[in-house]
């Protein structure tokens, strides 16, 4: 039994439209990106399908992955496999992430310098 087999024709059309959007926009954008910055949504939100899809795509596309976790959270709260595939895990203040703090920008730039391959070399 396939994923779409139990769907009504209308639901199948909506699913196909969503899947096409994911392939043509989100996955295509990830493929073009030099790295992925992933803000871990927390265990209570870990079943967010777009987060799962983007994380899986980042792994399959062999992108450097920076996982951001909220201050006060522990790396131990991350799923073990996510810890394994993350190139780096960084604890951040959510307000700093929302406001684009210079300190966070510096940390992201340092990550990029360490993990992003120079396409010319």
């Amino acid at each position: 039994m396939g994923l779409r087999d139990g769907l009504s024709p209308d639901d199948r059309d909506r699913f196909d439209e969503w899947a096409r959007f994911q392939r043509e926009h989100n996955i295509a954008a990830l493929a073009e990106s030099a790295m992925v910055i992933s803000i871990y949504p927390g265990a209570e939100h870990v079943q967010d399908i777009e987060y799962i899809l983007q994380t899986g795509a980042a792994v399959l596309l062999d992108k450097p992955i920076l996982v951001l976790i909220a201050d006060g959270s522990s790396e131990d709260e991350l799923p073990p496999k996510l810890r394994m595939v993350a190139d780096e895990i960084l604890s951040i203040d959510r307000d700093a992430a929302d406001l684009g703090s210079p300190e966070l920008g510096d940390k992201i730039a340092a990550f990029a310098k360490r993990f992003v391959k120079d396409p010319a070399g």
Side-chain angles (χ1 to χ4, degrees), residues 22-98:
Q22 294 301 323
R23 276 192 310 276
E24 293 174 359
H25 297 276
N26 290 342
I27 304 302
L30 280 171
E32 294 293 320
S33 71
M35 65 183 191
V36 173
I37 301 171
S38 171
I39 301 175
Y40 182 67
E44 66 276 4
H45 301 291
V46 79
Q47 293 188 6
D48 175 332
I49 192 68
E50 289 192 7
Y51 181 79
I52 292 168
L53 179 66
Q54 291 170 6
T55 302
V59 170
L60 292 173
L61 293 167
D62 199 27
K63 298 295 180 177
I65 301 172
L66 172 60
V67 175
L68 305 179
I69 58 173
D71 275 344
S73 297
S74 163
E75 287 185 26
D76 293 337
E77 295 174 41
L78 294 173
K81 299 282 182 169
L82 181 58
R83 287 196 313 265
M84 288 175 61
V85 299
D87 293 287
E88 190 171 311
I89 300 167
L90 180 61
S91 181
I92 61 156
D93 175 5
R94 283 227 184 247
D95 290 337
D98 292 342

